[in-house]
Amino acid sequence: MNPIRVMVVDDSVVVRKIVTDVLSADPGIDVVGTAVNGKVALGKLPQLRPDLVTMDIEMPEMNGIEAVRAIRRTRDRVPIIMCSTLTERGATATLDALSAGANDYVTKPANVGSVAQSMESVREQLIPKIKALTGRPVTPVRPAAPVAPPPRPAAPRTGPGKKPAVLVIGSSTGGPEALARVLPALPATLPVPVLLAQHMPPVFTRQFAQRLDRLSPLRVVEAVDGTPLAPGTVHLAPGDHHLVVRADGRAGFTTALNQNPPENFCRPAVDPLFRSAVAAYDGAVLGVVLTGMGADGRNGCGEIRNAGGTVVVQDQATSVVWGMPGAVAQAGYADEVLPLDRIAEAIQRHLARAAPLNTAPAMAVGGRR
């Protein structure tokens, strides 16, 4: 398998060297070129033909957001990973870049004590995302199959399906833009509360909740501990905290936050949210898993289905990375496997009917985008 061809774009000589050295140390990656700003990067793209671009945000002449827009105007679909600072300004700019067509982001190391620590931070964040976005195995155990195994039919139910009383959603890579399409398509009169775990760091989640709130008829907030759950409100897990459902005898169901150990290398993670919803609502849960790398949410979806709930996942063709939804589908936990533009309709359909149907998944044909 040929190495992944990467172009590194950053106006900082130090950052370019750190990123280049880290990536070049991986035998599966070849840094084919660098650029000091978006304008230079745009000029080098046709010649270098990289498989992926890492892109700084704040650069002279043409910044990262402008560069992403310019690249996408050429109809070039090369994956782009933004390198952002963990600040309010950095979070806003990163979300703008994702809206412009970037695929994912990493945060630059801050307050680290050495170049070695900076390099390790870049290695841990960036290399798995590069490999996931280019369809390569994240760990070199064996070559990845060119096409993911097909979804398994939904496992037979052991009891009657339950009408959902809560909607829980999980997403990761590609999730911000997927959610920005799904949530605005849901009505303000949605009859159940919504809880959402998107893999995202602190600061970013607050900005993202505000952005979704502006886009959606639903009320979207960054979750805080102890808020009663009400229909039509979306609670987004804050960065570095797990969001779970608490059953309170006096207040009914409320949000709860904790900093228990990461699950699936993530905090917030999808599995603890899904598990808590099953326990609180006695399985009357609609779980949705959107695009994302890894397998977070697979076990939680298994618990949802075993308890009588319903699971819908995004299909491979419309996912930026078909890791999380693919893991659920391949485990046989998905009632439906649907393209992104049909997810909102499916949510409303499942919330409206008397009980979930026990049918094989509705599978869309198509490969990785």
Side-chain angles (χ1 to χ4, degrees):
M1 185 178 293
N2 293 329
I4 303 165
R5 297 168 56 83
V6 176
M7 179 166 67
V8 176
V9 185
D10 200 296
D11 65 324
S12 166
V13 175
V14 174
V15 173
R16 284 202 309 276
K17 179 168 175 51
I18 288 175
V19 174
T20 298
D21 287 353
V22 167
L23 299 185
S24 298
D26 190 295
I29 297 175
D30 182 14
V31 178
V32 295
T34 63
V36 298
N37 59 46
K39 183 177 180 180
V40 174
L42 202 62
K44 287 187 174 184
L45 267 178
Q47 173 192 353
L48 297 178
R49 299 183 64 82
D51 299 314
L52 182 140
V53 175
T54 71
M55 183 78 70
D56 189 21
I57 291 178
E58 295 189 14
M59 297 180 290
E61 292 195 64
M62 178 183 283
N63 66 35
I65 301 170
E66 294 167 339
V68 170
R69 291 187 180 123
I71 291 170
R72 293 302 182 237
R73 281 197 297 269
T74 68
R75 299 183 182 275
D76 192 328
R77 302 309 302 171
V78 60
I80 301 172
I81 298 178
M82 307 305 295
C83 297
S84 171
T85 55
L86 193 57
T87 63
E88 295 276 357
R89 180 175 176 178
T92 299
T94 301
L95 293 171
D96 287 342
L98 294 173
S99 296
N103 299 86
D104 206 349
Y105 63 93
V106 295
T107 54
K108 293 183 177 181
N111 301 320
V112 293
S114 69
V115 172
Q117 287 175 297
S118 295
M119 293 179 74
E120 184 59 26
S121 175
V122 171
R123 182 180 296 111
E124 289 179 354
Q125 289 190 76
L126 190 54
I127 289 179
K129 294 189 176 188
I130 288 174
K131 293 184 175 182
L133 286 168
T134 55
R136 307 295 176 90
V138 174
T139 53
V141 177
R142 63 180 187 273
V147 178
R152 290 170 50 190
R157 293 187 180 277
T158 57
K162 299 174 181 177
K163 182 176 181 179
V166 65
L167 169 62
V168 290
I169 304 174
S171 53
S172 182
T173 306
E177 285 312 294
L179 291 163
R181 290 177 57 184
V182 171
L183 293 185
L186 297 175
T189 55
L190 203 72
V192 300
V194 184
L195 297 100
L196 165 60
Q198 160 70 40
H199 296 163
M200 190 172 271
V203 182
F204 282 61
T205 47
R206 181 167 59 254
Q207 295 278 335
F208 186 44
Q210 292 170 359
R211 183 165 298 213
L212 289 176
D213 187 58
R214 291 193 298 269
L215 292 173
S216 174
L218 298 163
R219 178 171 177 255
V220 183
V221 298
E222 185 183 48
V224 296
D225 193 82
T227 304
L229 298 182
T233 297
V234 181
H235 300 268
L236 173 67
D240 202 34
H241 289 76
H242 294 306
L243 169 63
V244 296
V245 180
R246 178 191 294 137
D248 188 314
R250 293 167 300 175
F253 301 111
T254 68
T255 57
L257 303 179
N258 67 64
Q259 289 190 300
N260 291 345
E263 294 194 26
N264 306 300
F265 309 102
C266 300
R267 189 172 62 201
V270 179
D271 275 335
L273 169 60
F274 283 19
R275 285 197 309 267
S276 71
V278 169
Y281 286 90
D282 191 28
V285 178
L286 173 57
V288 175
V289 178
L290 303 176
T291 175
M293 61 184 285
D296 190 20
R298 175 178 57 196
N299 294 338
C301 285
E303 294 197 24
I304 289 173
R305 283 205 93 250
N306 289 340
T310 306
V311 173
V312 175
V313 303
Q314 186 175 352
D315 71 355
Q316 184 178 6
T318 62
S319 293
V320 174
V321 178
W322 206 55
M324 288 166 49
V328 176
Q330 290 156 16
Y333 298 150
D335 291 280
E336 295 189 273
V337 181
L338 299 172
L340 183 62
D341 61 6
R342 291 179 56 194
I343 297 290
E345 177 276 327
I347 288 171
Q348 295 180 77
R349 172 164 40 83
H350 285 293
L351 294 179
R353 69 192 183 196
L357 300 176
N358 186 18
T359 58
M363 288 178 281
V365 177
R368 185 185 303 278
R369 188 170 65 180

